Structures are given as structure tokens and as C-alpha cells.
Amino acid sequence: HPAVVAQKAATVAILSDGRFRLGLGAGENLNEHVVGRGWPAADVRHEMLAEAMEIIRSLFEGGYVTYRGDYYDVEDAKLFDLPDEPVEIGVAVSGRESCELAGKMGDFVIATEPEARLVEMFREYGGEGPGVAQIPVCWGGDEAECRRLAREQFRWSAGGWKVMAELPNPVNFDAYTQFVREEDMAELVPCGPDVEGIVEGVRQFTEAGFGHVALVQIGDRQKEFCEFYERELGEALKGL
């Protein structure tokens, strides 16, 4: 429920000394059908997201909030602990309808594909905040092992969000990704020890107009990847 999300976001913002931003989207069947309310069509989910954002923003303003919507109701809700500044809200996008929602109601836009049109549509509908992107990488000393790991743990990303949002269970993800090869993943995910592949992956997003890029390291070499970033990768990315 958006009131619970607002309370969680406010708490994390306080605990992180204001370093938290809230990303919202129209959801995924895998996560949401389990509560037994069905899986609405995309246009309905966008209507639900708009209501949810109205509630969350109202709660971030302080005071008691009562809201009667088509999808959500709130009765005398209040966040008793708020951060000094309202939490910024980003909206995940993949097409025009979500970009319109992001431009009209979001503080920034989130995407996983380096498509300039997504940022352009966000601006077209009044969005002024940054574009935030996410790129998976699989860094490590053995490129062949990194390719294997990328396929094992991240092959579900090959179909894009329009597919992933609709699949209900892990068995369905396994079925649709059974023919994804390591070579296919290597085209989507920079794999191995080299800086150049990661820089080129990030460059695609910066050239598409994204100002912030989150790097998602696949596998358990998280500490080593952070050390690699500090030692070499961060400096290589500065030019972008």
C-alpha cells in the first residue's frame, strides 16, 4: 500500500541522512500476483501508480491524509517522522504512457535501456530532473567465467521489461530464457576484467541523455568490484 511505502521511504531517508531517493514503477507480475488481487493491464497499473504517487507526496508534506480513490483509500494517515526534505520520487519508464506519468509527477526518470526517446518524452511532458539508468556488469579476472555467471544469474533480463513484467513465476522465466546463450548475454552485459566494455556500456546511456548510471555487479564479487571501481573504473568513467 502506498501509505506503507511512504512510511518506509521516510524512515530510510532519515537513517541515510537524506541520501535516499524512491523509485516507483507499474510493477511486475512475479512480485504482485501473490497477494491474490490479480494482475491488471498496463493502463490500469499506471492509473494505480498515479494514485499511489498522490498519496505518497501528500504524506511527505506532513499532516493527516485522507484519500478516496478508485484503487486506494487512506484514512487519517500520518508520517510522524519525516526527513528534513521530501524524498525525491523517480518513475521507471519504457514507453509514452509511463514517460507522461514520470514527466507530470516524477522528480526524475528511471530506465534500463539506453534510449534517448525516453528522456525526450519525459522532458516533453514537463520532467526537469535527471535521467537515471541501470546497467548490469559482470566484472572479474576470467571472461569465460563471467559470461557463464551472467547467463546463470541475469539471463532473465534478455527479454526486456515488457516481457519480464508479465511473467508470473520463476518456472516461466526459466522456460523463456532456456535458449539464451552466453554469447547473447555477452552482447548485453560487459563481462570480464576490461574497463573498456563497461565504459562503452555507460557511454550509450550518457549519449542518450542519462545523467546518472547505476552499475549492478552480477555475482558475489561485490567488494572486489568496489575496489576495482576505486582503483581504475571510476577514473575511466569521469570523462563521460
Side-chain angles (χ1 to χ4, degrees):
H1 193 283
V4 177
V5 172
Q7 202 277 333
K8 291 180 177 182
T11 300
V12 176
I14 292 170
L15 294 175
S16 64
D17 196 23
R19 294 182 291 113
F20 176 75
R21 293 185 294 180
L22 175 63
L24 300 176
E28 297 175 56
N29 196 355
L30 175 70
N31 301 321
E32 301 192 38
H33 78 277
V34 293
V35 296
R37 296 184 62 186
W39 180 236
D43 61 324
V44 175
R45 302 202 308 272
H46 285 130
E47 292 174 0
M48 297 172 70
L49 178 57
E51 280 195 11
M53 291 181 68
E54 290 178 2
I55 293 169
I56 291 169
R57 286 208 183 278
S58 296
L59 288 167
F60 284 165
E61 292 173 0
Y64 288 90
V65 175
T66 295
Y67 183 96
R68 309 292 183 200
D70 292 328
Y71 305 100
Y72 297 110
D73 292 329
V74 174
E75 184 77 43
D76 283 346
K78 178 180 172 64
L79 303 184
F80 289 92
D81 292 292
L82 285 168
D84 293 335
E85 299 292 334
V87 177
E88 291 186 350
I89 299 176
V91 178
V93 300
S94 60
R96 179 165 292 277
E97 188 173 346
S98 53
C99 286
E100 179 179 2
L101 183 61
K104 292 180 177 179
M105 301 186 68
D107 297 308
F108 58 98
V109 64
I110 306 168
T112 59
E113 298 172 309
E115 296 187 15
R117 68 181 184 89
L118 298 175
V119 178
E120 291 166 358
M121 286 190 289
F122 171 64
R123 303 276 183 242
E124 177 185 332
Y125 288 108
E128 298 180 351
V132 177
Q134 172 184 301
I135 175 174
V137 302
C138 193
W139 174 84
D142 186 334
E143 182 177 348
E145 172 62 16
C146 288
R147 286 188 174 202
R148 184 199 65 78
L149 191 62
R151 184 192 180 279
E152 176 188 279
Q153 296 194 9
F154 229 76
R155 66 184 183 275
W156 48 266
S157 65
W161 284 110
K162 292 184 183 299
V163 173
M164 291 188 291
E166 301 301 327
L167 299 177
N169 286 300
V171 64
N172 307 109
F173 279 83
D174 280 340
Y176 109 85
T177 59
Q178 62 179 313
F179 299 114
V180 176
R181 304 168 302 170
E182 291 183 9
E183 305 94 281
D184 302 322
M185 292 306 303
E187 292 181 4
L188 298 173
V189 177
C191 295
D194 296 332
V195 171
E196 289 76 13
I198 299 176
V199 172
E200 183 54 35
V202 173
R203 187 192 309 279
Q204 294 179 39
F205 282 100
T206 60
E207 291 181 348
F210 292 88
H212 300 255
V213 180
L215 302 174
V216 181
Q217 164 72 351
I218 300 171
D220 60 3
R221 293 172 59 85
Q222 302 297 322
K223 181 176 184 292
E224 293 86 349
F225 178 72
C226 290
E227 292 170 346
F228 165 65
Y229 184 95
E230 185 178 46
R231 180 178 67 251
E232 187 175 354
L233 179 58
E235 187 66 28
L237 290 173
K238 281 185 178 179
L240 302 182

